[in-house]
Structures are given as structure tokens and as C-alpha cells.
Amino acid sequence: MKWYFDDFVYGSIDGAVTTFAIVAGVVGASLSPGIILILGFANLFADGFSMATANYQASKARNEFVQMKRRQEEWEIDNLAEQERNEIREIYREKGFKDELLEDVVRIITSRRKVWIDTMMKEELGLIEDERNPFDSSVSTFVGFNIIGLIPLIPFMIFMMIGIDPNSEAFTYSTVSVLAAFFLVGMIKGKIVKKSMMRSGIITLIIGGIAASVAYMVGHGLNFLVS
Amino acid sequence: MKWYFDDFVYGSIDGAVTTFAIVAGVVGASLSPGIILILGFANLFADGFSMATANYQASKARNEFVQMKRRQEEWEIDNLAEQERNEIREIYREKGFKDELLEDVVRIITSRRKVWIDTMMKEELGLIEDERNPFDSSVSTFVGFNIIGLIPLIPFMIFMMIGIDPNSEAFTYSTVSVLAAFFLVGMIKGKIVKKSMMRSGIITLIIGGIAASVAYMVGHGLNFLVS
């Protein structure tokens, strides 16, 4: 399969934010740390699955939409040739062609079915086919979501495995490692879109940090509900 | 502002899944129902914010990428005119033009700067500008996430407000209403992409249902962590 790093990054930011939101919410509300692992894993699998499926459906829907439009253009060319020829004429008139040259261009474009349809797709409908494989795209999202989304849980897992009740120290480790993950993923993202990696890392860090703080404050503000 | 219903739908499915995953995880692990509201709201605000920001950044990055490519083409046309003229010639040769007619087409296309650049963008790079406003797009996502994501929490809020401890009945109401929401949102989605609304409603219902079941099972399987 082919890896799509932008989908990986998209999934991983969401995974880290939602898992850490649970960590911060539980700690903010002073709940039992075991709840972090229960709801953290529930979220990793459930939300990761849902996000990957949403991604799959969106890519597939876009591909199907483009194919549907292509079939529609094919039908129009077969059944309403004169109208479609006029549309090509208008498109090229707008580009600055006229008179005999315009007619020559229309003749050449409409003499090859594929060129004709491609021109209608791009110029009339503004659609370009995307060869992205929906399945690979959604797997990339899911893996990013689960690998990076696991990071905030690791300190709590280690503490519980070695038999220590996770305390504020585990929360500190979790916070530091998720902030490092935000920064790193942001840098990768900056590299993909060919912008400043440092700037992109800091922006992702700030956004993730705000989301996590919101979760902590909501947890803290609502902890009377279980007291 | 302009509403983007596809972003609204995308946000709302994710909002319903993640909030209900928390509900199902808490109930599966037999935890205090107050935790549902604490982590449900923490998730609504934190994940809703993060998702909307991710959407904003992705739209903005795409717009910036297209603009960067356009400026690059502009520079090439100004500085490497002959090379760019050859590229236009190749593009139209592939469409079936040749000899004198080909030269005429190249002359007309390259005589107007905007037409020249637009042709390079579409034909060479396969890029079409998207006028979608990144801010409106992310607000649509956020509102969908929060409105539909709130649904699984409503029965628990009502039970607590009228002073009854939320029990399995609240969970039943929550499940029924979130499944109804999945179905409804799926139908809207089907309408947007012009496919069978019934089919799309059922598919969304199944996917949301699987995600929710996974959350319930993880919660149930890990409840020894707090016992």
C-alpha cells in the first residue's frame, strides 16, 4: 500500500488531541487514573475507526462524484453534440480565439472524444481526477491516529505496569510527551506543505495546547458532578 | 458567512461518534454517570476546537499551495518564456493539434497572461483554485460537531437536572437518539452527494454503531482497572 503523509499527520494530530483531552479531563476532574486508560483506549479504537471510515467515504464519494460527472458529459457528447460543441466554442472564445481559428480549435478538440470530455471536465466543471486510493488514505489516517494518539497514555501504562498508582508525575510526563509530539507532527506537516518547519511546529503545538487546556478546564469545572 | 454542509456533516458524524464513545465507554466500564458529562463536554469543546482548526489549516494550506504554484508559473512565464511556450505547445500537441494550427493556438494562448497561466495550472499541474473560505468551512465543522455531538449527552443531562441518577434507561435513550442522529446525518450526506439517502443513512448508522460498540467493549473489557 501507499502511505499518504498528509492523512497520517491529520489523523495523528486528532489522535493526540482527543486522547490527551481525556487525560486532561480526567486529571482536571480528579478522577481515578484507571479511567484514563479505559476511555483513552475506547477513544483510540472507536474514534480512530470512525475517522478512518469518514476519510474513506469522503475520498470515495469524491471519486464517484467525478466519475458521475464524466459519465454525464459522455452522455451529453453522445446525445447533445451540438450543444457541447457550442460550450467548447464559448470556452475558447473566452481564451481569446475567434473566427476561423476558433472553428479549427473546436474541430480538433471535438474530433477526439477523450480530449473533448477532458476539456469539459476541466474547463466547464473545474474537476480534475484524483488518483488517491481511498483505502490507503484511510489506513494512513488510522495508523497516525493510533500511534500518535497512544503517546499521552504511555506514562500511565508504565506507572500501572510497574505497580505505582499514576500521580501528578505521570500527568507531567504525559503532558511533556504530547507537547513534543504536537511539535514534531507540526514540523513534519510544515515539511510536507513546504513551509517553515519551526513555525508549523509551534502553531500545531499552540493549537494542541489550547485544546488540551480546554479539556482540563472543563474537567476541573465539572468535577462537582462526581463529588 | 457561508455554510458548507459537507463540512457540517463531517463534523457532526465525528462529534456524535466521539461523544457516544465516551458514553459507551463509561457505561461499559460501569463508572459514575457524572463522568459522562465531564468528559463528554471536555471532548465537545477540545476535539471540536481541534477538528475545526485542523480543517481551517488544511483549507488554508491548500489555498496557499495553489497560490504559490501560480506565482511560480508567473515567474517562469516572465523569465523562461520560451520554455513555458514549449510546454503549451506540448500540451496542445497531445490534444491532437499540429503544424500551423498548433502554432496559432500557442500564439493565442500565450498572448494573454491570465489565459497562459490558467492553462499551465490546469493542464500542467492539474490544479484548480478552490474559492472555499477556510474560516466558514471550519465554523461549519465546529457547529456540526457540537450540535450533533451534544445529542448522546442530552438524556444524561435531563436525568441529572430532574434529580434522578442516570441509569440504564438514560443509556437506552442516549443510544436510540444517537442512532437516529447517525441515520439522519447519513441521509443528509446522501442528499449532498446525490446518492440514495436511505442507503447512505444506513451505512452511516452501521459505521457509527460499530464505533460505539467498540467503545463499549473496550470500556467493559478494561473496567478491572478501576475495580
Side-chain angles (χ1 to χ4, degrees), chain B residues 21 41 64 84 101 113 116 139 147 157 166 215 219 227:
Chain B
F41 280 104
E64 284 172 359
E84 296 301 294
L101 184 54
R113 192 177 156 82
W116 192 352
V139 170
I147 289 181
M157 289 165 68
S227 64

Side-chain angles (χ1 to χ4, degrees), chain A residues 179-200:
Chain A
L179 291 180
F182 282 143
F183 186 67
L184 206 73
V185 169
M187 283 181 73
I188 299 174
K189 190 176 157 185
K191 198 175 162 63
I192 294 173
V193 298
K194 296 200 176 67
K195 304 197 74 170
S196 157
M197 288 171 67
M198 182 57 77
R199 199 182 125 90
S200 171

Side-chain angles (χ1 to χ4, degrees), chain A residues 10 14 17-18 21-22 25-26 29 31-32 34-35 37-39 41-42 45-47 49-50 53-54 57 64 92 94-97 101 104-105 108-109 112 115 122-123 126-128 160 189 195 203 207 210-211 214-215 218-219 222-223 225-226, chain B residues 10 14 17-18 21-22 25-26 29 31-32 34-35 37-39 41-42 45-47 49-50 53-54 57 64 92 94-97 101 104-105 108-109 112 115 122-123 126-128 160 189 195 203 207 210-211 214-215 218-219 222-223 225-226:
Chain A
Y10 194 64
D14 211 60
V17 166
T18 52
I22 288 169
V26 169
L31 304 174
S32 151
I35 295 173
L37 295 187
I38 296 176
L39 295 181
F41 280 103
F45 293 118
D47 193 9
F49 169 80
S50 134
T53 330
Q57 288 192 300
E64 284 172 0
Y92 275 87
E94 290 235 332
K95 290 189 200 291
F97 289 84
L101 184 54
D104 286 340
V105 168
I108 302 277
I109 295 278
R112 282 162 71 182
V115 174
K122 278 184 210 163
E123 304 280 349
L127 289 175
I128 288 180
M160 291 190 101
K189 190 176 157 185
K195 304 197 74 170
I203 290 176
I207 292 167
I210 292 176
V214 168
V218 173
L222 293 182
N223 76 346
L225 287 172
V226 286
Chain B
Y10 194 63
D14 210 60
V17 167
T18 54
I22 288 169
V26 169
L31 304 174
S32 152
I35 295 173
L37 294 187
I38 296 176
L39 295 181
F41 280 104
F45 293 118
D47 194 9
F49 169 80
S50 133
T53 332
Q57 288 192 300
E64 284 172 359
Y92 274 87
E94 290 234 333
K95 289 188 200 292
F97 290 84
L101 184 54
D104 285 341
V105 168
I108 301 277
I109 295 277
R112 280 161 73 181
V115 174
K122 278 184 208 162
E123 304 280 349
L127 288 174
I128 288 181
M160 291 190 100
K189 190 175 155 186
K195 304 197 73 169
I203 290 176
I207 292 168
I210 292 176
V214 168
V218 173
L222 293 182
N223 76 347
L225 287 172
V226 286

Side-chain angles (χ1 to χ4, degrees), chain B residues 192-212:
Chain B
I192 292 174
V193 298
K194 294 197 178 70
K195 304 197 73 169
S196 156
M197 288 171 68
M198 182 57 77
R199 200 183 125 90
S200 170
I202 291 171
I203 290 176
T204 307
L205 179 63
I206 291 173
I207 292 168
I210 292 176

Side-chain angles (χ1 to χ4, degrees), chain A residues 8 15 23 96 98 102 117 170 189:
Chain A
F8 181 89
V23 171
K98 56 184 183 222
L102 178 59
I117 295 167
K189 190 176 157 185

Side-chain angles (χ1 to χ4, degrees), chain B residues 148 178-190 197 201 204-205:
Chain B
I148 309 297
V178 80
L179 291 179
F182 282 142
F183 185 68
L184 206 72
V185 169
M187 283 181 73
I188 298 175
K189 190 175 155 186
M197 288 171 68
T204 307
L205 179 63

Side-chain angles (χ1 to χ4, degrees), chain A residues 26-181:
Chain A
V26 169
V27 173
S30 316
L31 304 174
S32 151
I35 295 173
I36 289 173
L37 295 187
I38 296 176
L39 295 181
F41 280 103
N43 177 70
L44 275 187
F45 293 118
D47 193 9
F49 169 80
S50 134
M51 198 182 174
T53 330
N55 184 306
Y56 177 82
Q57 288 192 300
S59 314
K60 199 154 155 285
R62 154 136 182 124
N63 288 357
E64 284 172 0
F65 177 75
V66 172
Q67 280 157 22
M68 183 263 283
K69 283 292 180 187
R70 175 171 275 275
R71 279 196 300 275
Q72 192 175 315
E73 285 301 328
E74 284 172 352
W75 184 90
E76 288 178 6
I77 284 173
D78 292 340
N79 294 280
L80 306 162
E82 207 40 53
Q83 175 195 311
E84 295 301 294
R85 198 169 281 122
N86 273 331
E87 287 178 6
I88 294 286
R89 189 172 290 117
E90 276 320 301
I91 288 165
Y92 275 87
R93 199 196 305 280
E94 290 235 332
K95 290 189 200 291
F97 289 84
K98 56 184 183 222
D99 304 333
E100 215 173 311
L101 184 54
L102 178 59
E103 292 312 311
D104 286 340
V105 168
V106 172
R107 186 173 45 78
I108 302 277
I109 295 278
T110 57
S111 68
R112 282 162 71 182
R113 193 178 156 84
K114 188 177 175 311
V115 174
W116 191 353
I117 295 167
D118 283 347
T119 306
M120 299 302 291
M121 293 290 285
K122 278 184 210 163
E123 304 280 349
E124 190 201 14
L125 303 171
L127 289 175
I128 288 180
E129 263 110 312
D130 185 3
E131 317 78 25
R132 186 168 282 233
N133 180 319
F135 183 77
D136 293 351
S137 172
S138 80
V139 170
S140 304
T141 308
F142 186 79
V143 172
F145 192 96
N146 275 275
I147 290 182
I148 309 297
L150 189 63
I151 291 175
L153 302 180
I154 294 174
F156 292 91
M157 289 165 69
I158 294 174
F159 271 63
M160 291 190 101
M161 270 195 286
I162 58 177
I164 306 173
D165 224 27
N167 48 19
S168 62
E169 215 178 320
F171 184 54
T172 307
Y173 289 135
S174 177
T175 308
V176 170
S177 50
V178 81
L179 291 180

